[in-house]
């Protein structure tokens, strides 16, 4: 399959993001309200798709947000700017159901900005399961989960198609998603089922990584880094040495 270029003008909060515990809503990732840093996440040296697929805990999802920003436009205004967040939840008054019942006079935001950690950790885990497939064919159960994923985040109105002429005067088709999660879904559809994605065999790791090609790792690599290969082999030797001889 031809991999089409993805162009997205996105932004991240220059002051970073906090994990905030909202009553009855769980943990949320909320920007600190710094000036937006604009960039194209699909032109970075690393692969945002892999970074998201490995964001399977609240801290890893926060680290993803620090590098890439929010996944959807819900945390941003219509202009794409980072809204002033609920910086200090102390300025807000919550009831036991997590609803905002009051707000201090000097606070500038009257609604919750940010994204649910539980929601997107679950989505990240699903991305990882799809990318770990050795073929492009989904199981019946996984197919149903992916269909729900597309219903929630894969609106065709959020992705458009265009053409660009590069500096060498060559014509290229490009995909224009309306949000980071839409762009990641495009990458997922283009790259899922390839043999280039592996799961690190070190028991304590389990990171999904790219092998072969320009990844710097052999196509048959079993570990995400040489250090993890050495650690795995060392642990295996230690277990063998502890076994009583017959």
């Amino acid at each position: 399959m031809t991999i089409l270029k993805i162009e997205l003008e996105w932004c991240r909060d220059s002051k970073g993001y906090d994990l905030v515990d909202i009553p009855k809503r769980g943990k949320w990732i909320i920007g600190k309200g710094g000036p937006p840093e604009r960039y194209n996440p699909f032109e970075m040296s690393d692969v945002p798709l892999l970074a998201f697929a490995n964001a399977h805990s609240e801290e890893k999802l926060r680290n993803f947000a620090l590098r890439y920003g929010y996944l959807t436009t819900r945390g941003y205004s219509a202009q794409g700017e980072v809204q002033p967040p609920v910086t200090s939840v102390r300025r807000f008054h919550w009831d036991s159901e997590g609803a905002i019942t009051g707000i201090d006079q000097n606070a500038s935001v009257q609604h919750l900005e940010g994204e649910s950690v539980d929601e997107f950790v679950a989505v990240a885990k699903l991305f990882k399961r799809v990318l770990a497939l050795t073929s492009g064919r989904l199981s019946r159960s996984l197919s149903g989960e992916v269909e729900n994923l597309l219903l929630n985040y894969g609106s065709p109105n959020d992705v458009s198609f265009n053409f660009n002429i590069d500096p060498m005067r060559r014509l290229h088709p490009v995909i224009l998603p309306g949000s980071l999660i839409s762009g990641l879904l495009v990458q997922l559809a283009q790259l899922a089922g390839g043999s280039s994605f592996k799961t690190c065999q070190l028991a304590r790791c389990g990171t999904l990584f790219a092998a072969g090609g320009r990844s710097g790792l052999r196509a048959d690599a079993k570990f995400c880094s040489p250090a993890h290969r050495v650690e795995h082999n060392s642990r295996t030797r230690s277990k063998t040495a502890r076994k009583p001889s017959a």
Side-chain angles (χ1 to χ4, degrees), residues 10-11 36 38 70 72-84 111 113:
W10 202 236
C11 60
R38 295 185 176 279
Y70 288 129
T72 69
T73 57
R74 283 178 291 182
Y76 300 107
S77 70
Q79 290 74 37
E81 304 286 4
V82 179
Q83 287 273 39
H111 58 282
E113 301 286 349

Side-chain angles (χ1 to χ4, degrees), residues 147-169:
E147 284 180 6
N148 289 333
L149 177 71
L150 295 175
L151 285 172
N152 287 324
Y153 309 106
S155 168
N157 297 326
D158 201 35
V159 178
S160 58
F161 186 81
N162 205 349
F163 295 94
N164 277 356
I165 298 177
D166 68 18
M168 300 299 293
R169 299 188 298 279

Side-chain angles (χ1 to χ4, degrees), residues 112-124:
L112 183 63
E113 301 286 349
E115 292 177 337
S116 164
V117 170
D118 288 343
E119 176 183 352
F120 285 106
V121 163
V123 174

